[in-house]
Structures are given as structure tokens and as C-alpha cells.
Amino acid sequence: MVQKKAKKGGKKVAAAPLAVKKLVPQKVVNPLFEKRPRNFSIGQDIQPKRDLSRFVRWPKYIRLQRQKAVLQTRLKVPPPINQFTSALDKQTATQLFKLMDKYRPETKEAKKERLKARAADKAEGKADAPTKRAPVVRHGINTVTTLIEKKKAQLVVIANDVDPIELVVFLPALCRKMGVPYCIVKNKARLGRVVRRKTTTCLAITQVESGDRSSLNKLVEVVKTNYNERADEIR
């Protein structure tokens, strides 16, 4: 049997109704207020203030700081260098600097006065008795290294931002080997202020008065727990 072909053309779709235009209420323009659009072309209106810090030519030392920070986040830092990122906490550092401020070296003026007084006594015919050396904080990489090797240092304080870092990178290992307590603090300038210099790499406490012995012992305990005994964790 032959099938009948389906008739072409189905139902017609109804035409869309006429679109009703919405009446938009006209804005009433106040004749007192005149529109004055600004023109920012050359010699016209002043440009608005924009944040141009991205286009500032920063000094070289700032650019180096930023490049160094970016590099340190991207590179794998060796363990001996990475240990300098863990500095002493703020509270302990404040106590440490309070103690060290008591044992600052004498000023040039004080030394001059002391030597003058000694010379005057000698001129009068008195016996020349050299003054006893007061306990002071020792500084300088060579001096501190010698004190550690002789085990005379009771506490060693190292700055975390020494440049080049190779100057002090061996000190923590040497302190651990010789059994000397050490700690790492922020800011070489802050260490330098203790010994009346701009900056210094490290300091060593060799002697303290009997009144400050208990506070030094407490600091040594904290430092040993955080650095000497946690060497592998810090690295």
C-alpha cells in the first residue's frame, strides 16, 4: 500500500498584539541649574587626582628591597639562611634590650673625663691605679667569635638582617657546638644603638651584676628552649 503524503503547512501562529508604547514622564529641567560638562583636553579643566604610585621611579635601595622579597618567596632558601627568619618574640626582645641597655659601653666624653682625672692624679704624685673594667656588652664579629670559642660568652645576640648574611651564618652552628645560648633579633640598627654605633652584626653578654643575674638566667632559659634545642625545627 502506498502511504499518503502529509499535507504541507500546519496551523498558523496568531500575530503578536500591537506593542503599547509606555509613556515616559519627562524630567522637569530647572532653569536655575545649568549643565556644565567638564572638558579635560589640554588647557581646559584640571584633571582629577589619580593614584600614580605605580608609575613612581622609586630609589634603587627600595627597588632592591622589593626584588629581594619577591625572590625569597620564589626560591628555595637553604636551612642555614632560613633560620634567620625566626626572630625573638617582642616581649622577650624588650626584656633583653632592657638588660643590655644597663651594660652599654662608655661614651667618648666619659672616657676622656676618666683619663683626664687619672692624669691629674698622676701629676699630683698619687699612685697610678688603673680603674677596674666594668662589665659591658661586647660587640663585633671577631670579638664575639673569640668569646664563644673560649666559652666566655653567657648569651649571644645576632641580628637577622646582616648583609651579606655570610658574615654571621656560621655563628648559630658554632654556638650550638660550644654550648653557648644564642638568639636572633630583628634590626641590626637596634643592636648598634646598644653599643653606640649605627649598626652591629652581633653582641655578647659576658658578665652582669649580681642583681641582674636572675633576669639573665630567665632569658637564657627562654633562648635555649627557642633556639639551641629547636635547631632542627627552625631550619
Side-chain angles (χ1 to χ4, degrees):
M1 260 182 92
V2 182
Q3 289 181 352
K4 288 183 180 180
K5 288 182 181 178
K7 288 182 180 180
K8 286 184 180 179
K11 290 180 181 178
K12 287 185 177 179
V13 180
L18 290 169
V20 181
K21 288 185 179 178
K22 288 181 181 179
L23 294 170
V24 180
Q26 287 187 347
K27 286 183 180 179
V28 181
V29 180
N30 192 337
L32 295 174
F33 298 101
E34 188 186 341
K35 251 191 179 180
R36 292 177 186 170
R38 287 189 290 178
N39 180 14
F40 295 123
S41 59
I42 295 167
Q44 303 299 320
D45 292 315
I46 296 167
Q47 295 270 351
K49 284 188 178 179
R50 297 183 183 89
D51 182 21
L52 301 176
S53 58
R54 179 176 154 73
F55 306 101
V56 173
R57 185 176 173 81
W58 295 100
K60 194 173 182 181
Y61 78 96
I62 289 177
R63 276 180 282 153
L64 283 171
Q65 277 175 359
R66 290 176 181 177
Q67 286 164 4
K68 186 180 176 184
V70 171
L71 268 178
Q72 281 178 339
T73 54
R74 293 181 184 177
L75 294 177
K76 284 186 177 178
V77 184
I81 293 170
N82 189 53
Q83 66 185 336
F84 286 91
T85 54
S86 59
L88 200 64
D89 64 282
K90 193 177 179 182
Q91 189 180 352
T92 317
T94 308
Q95 291 172 0
L96 176 64
F97 278 97
K98 265 186 186 176
L99 178 67
M100 289 196 297
D101 281 341
K102 292 180 184 178
Y103 299 97
R104 297 177 76 185
E106 64 179 347
T107 59
K108 286 181 180 178
E109 291 80 11
K111 186 180 180 182
K112 198 175 178 181
E113 290 297 321
R114 179 170 59 81
L115 292 174
K116 268 186 181 179
R118 191 174 164 188
D121 289 346
K122 197 175 179 181
E124 288 172 9
K126 291 180 183 177
D128 184 24
T131 51
K132 192 181 177 183
R133 187 172 187 173
V136 291
V137 174
R138 307 297 296 277
H139 66 96
I141 192 73
N142 291 339
T143 310
V144 172
T145 306
T146 309
L147 289 169
I148 294 167
E149 285 170 349
K150 290 180 179 178
K151 295 189 178 180
K152 286 184 178 178
Q154 292 185 25
L155 178 61
V156 174
V157 186
I158 309 164
N160 74 332
D161 57 345
V162 178
D163 192 30
I165 197 71
E166 286 81 3
L167 289 172
V168 292
V169 83
F170 68 92
L171 272 181
L174 181 65
C175 288
R176 285 195 297 273
K177 187 183 176 184
M178 304 307 289
V180 176
Y182 75 95
C183 64
I184 295 162
V185 296
K186 287 181 181 179
N187 208 335
K188 59 187 176 184
R190 194 179 178 192
L191 275 186
R193 188 187 59 80
V194 175
V195 291
R196 306 183 195 281
R197 289 175 175 270
K198 284 183 182 177
T199 59
T200 191
T201 53
C202 53
L203 300 176
I205 298 172
T206 51
Q207 279 182 323
V208 289
E209 301 289 346
S210 56
D212 296 320
R213 206 157 287 160
S214 61
S215 56
L216 178 64
N217 290 339
K218 282 179 186 175
L219 282 168
V220 166
E221 280 177 27
V222 174
V223 161
K224 272 188 175 178
T225 311
N226 290 342
Y227 288 92
N228 291 58
E229 294 168 11
R230 285 180 63 238
D232 295 326
E233 287 178 42
I234 293 168
R235 292 173 64 159

